[in-house]
Amino acid sequence: MSCSKPLTVVVVDDSLTTRALIAAALKRDPRVKVVGTAGTPFEARDLIVRLNPDVLTLDYEMPSMNGLQFLEKIMRLRPMPVVMVSGRLSSHQGLVEQALRMGAAEWYSKMALGSGEEPFAGLGDAIVRAATTKNHPSVSIGESLGARVMAATKTGTVVGIGASTGGVEALTDVLEHFPTDCPATVIVQHMPKQFSESFARRLDRIVKPDVRLAEEGDVLKPGVVYVASGGERHLRVRCSARPGEYVCQLVTAPPVNGHRPSVDELFYSLAATVGKNAVGVILTGMECDGAQGLLAMRHAGACTIGQDRASSVIYGMPRAAYELGAVDTQLPLSAIGPAILNLCERRSLETYP
């Protein structure tokens, strides 16, 4: 998003120190300008009326009224782009999901810092992304996520998910949030070949999208989830002869990171072909497969999500990706499905008139 003048921001947080840190971080970002700070919802209400900011950053934990309660009032009385800022996403399992359903445009974890990053690095990016919702008032709070994601499926958005130990149930949890018309989704779950087909059939029975094993040349379509078969070949995504269309490619090659199919192989291919129109997700699993590939996706402009420690059966793959700087946002498992849909919707708002 390009702006002729900075976006005006009001920062709401009960901690004076945190308000100062946020203001200092945003002062370094020429795209935004903090025009006011508030320690309570009541102070924030007065600032919103008086200053009419473009975006509000809103802490979850505040005295007298928590952030979600205030968010509900904002969206009912004066809808505007809101970035929820919280340091407790991991312990509040449903926080992100609730915030998205209530109308929050973005979320940002106070703890989501890579090695060497300054406090609140990336918050300016979240604010700029959130501002895109201001020009789309037709997306109402009560509208279904399935309907809101329809436009995203038309833009070529592709979701890539990698998982290992604990991933069978984690993937089920994520996909149960997906509507029938979800964005095209490709999955690598480490498992022996003999279990892949039954896994895909089980998912197909219990979730709304069509779930199938990926075959060579399958065209990626909205509403379909493609699962890599274990054991023999890697799953990659490549461009087809038609502009904006992607297909599955099954590649016979040595194992990568000890695995075939490898999450890294999938993620590298998404970075190269889909780029910024992709969403990458790394779930529970041992060791580090997927970390480098997810970093490549992030460098290509894709949004990336990692499962947090508290909800992971094994915090190996997500940890490796997070420590490498490959993860935009760490989230509890219950929040990842809604977050994927929200990110795909946001992609549609950025690319669709």
Side-chain angles (χ1 to χ4, degrees):
M1 175 182 175
S2 61
C3 301
S4 57
K5 59 181 181 179
L7 295 165
T8 56
V9 181
V10 165
V11 175
V12 186
D13 196 293
D14 69 322
S15 166
L16 178 61
T17 300
T18 300
R19 295 199 301 273
L21 287 172
I22 292 176
L26 296 182
K27 188 175 182 179
R28 297 190 291 269
D29 192 327
R31 300 170 299 172
V32 300
K33 179 181 180 181
V34 176
V35 294
T37 64
T40 70
F42 305 105
E43 293 175 4
R45 176 196 59 196
D46 294 339
L47 287 178
I48 290 169
V49 172
R50 179 161 56 89
L51 300 173
N52 190 30
D54 296 313
V55 182
L56 188 77
T57 72
L58 179 59
D59 185 26
Y60 171 68
E61 293 181 318
M62 293 185 296
S64 71
M65 183 188 303
N66 70 38
L68 290 185
Q69 291 171 323
F70 189 45
L71 177 66
E72 187 277 330
K73 292 183 181 295
I74 292 171
M75 291 303 164
R76 177 163 47 85
L77 301 173
R78 202 280 195 190
M80 64 182 298
V82 175
V83 177
M84 294 296 296
V85 179
S86 173
R88 301 186 64 188
L89 291 180
S90 298
S91 57
H92 287 274
Q93 294 282 318
L95 172 60
V96 174
E97 181 178 353
Q98 284 180 271
L100 296 179
R101 292 188 180 279
M102 291 170 67
E106 274 281 339
W107 63 92
Y108 181 88
S109 171
K110 296 176 183 177
M111 307 305 178
L113 296 176
S115 176
E117 285 189 321
E118 295 292 330
F120 298 100
L123 181 56
D125 292 334
I127 289 170
V128 172
R129 289 193 299 261
T132 63
T133 64
K134 189 174 183 179
N135 298 319
H136 300 271
S138 60
V139 180
S140 66
I141 303 164
E143 192 175 354
S144 72
L145 281 172
R148 294 164 73 181
V149 131
M150 273 298 292
T153 65
K154 298 174 184 177
T155 68
T157 306
V158 177
V159 178
I161 307 177
S164 189
T165 308
V168 170
E169 293 308 315
L171 284 164
T172 302
D173 185 287
V174 170
L175 295 179
E176 281 179 335
H177 292 278
F178 279 28
T180 305
D181 51 9
C182 70
T185 301
V186 283
I187 292 174
V188 167
Q189 161 68 51
H190 296 157
M191 63 171 48
K193 179 183 178 182
Q194 60 267 34
F195 299 122
S196 299
E197 187 173 354
S198 60
F199 173 57
R201 284 201 307 266
R202 175 178 176 268
L203 282 177
D204 190 54
R205 286 195 305 269
I206 61 181
V207 302
K208 293 177 182 177
D210 177 17
V211 182
R212 63 183 71 166
L213 286 183
E215 299 288 346
E216 175 68 29
D218 277 349
V219 177
L220 299 191
K221 298 177 180 179
V224 184
V225 176
Y226 304 84
V227 178
S229 181
E232 295 180 347
R233 292 177 290 182
H234 295 292
L235 171 61
R236 298 175 184 166
V237 171
R238 63 175 175 83
C239 295
S240 78
R242 296 181 180 179
E245 185 177 84
Y246 309 105
V247 299
C248 294
Q249 180 181 30
L250 302 183
V251 180
T252 301
V256 175
N257 301 318
H259 298 284
R260 189 172 54 201
S262 163
V263 180
D264 265 336
E265 286 288 298
L266 173 63
F267 285 172
Y268 278 130
S269 71
L270 289 172
T273 58
V274 186
K276 66 180 182 179
N277 286 329
V279 175
V281 183
I282 194 157
L283 302 177
T284 175
M286 295 179 66
E287 299 176 340
C288 63
D289 189 30
Q292 293 286 349
L294 195 67
L295 182 63
M297 289 185 68
R298 190 176 187 188
H299 286 165
C303 296
T304 59
I305 298 172
Q307 187 174 351
D308 71 357
R309 180 192 300 269
S311 65
S312 296
V313 174
I314 301 291
Y315 187 58
M317 287 163 49
R319 177 179 181 174
Y322 177 72
E323 292 181 346
L324 192 64
V327 174
D328 282 323
T329 310
Q330 278 201 124
L331 296 173
L333 179 61
S334 62
I336 290 176
I340 292 170
L341 299 182
N342 178 265
L343 288 170
C344 291
E345 176 197 350
R346 191 180 73 213
R347 283 292 190 244
S348 76
L349 295 179
E350 291 172 350
T351 58
Y352 233 60

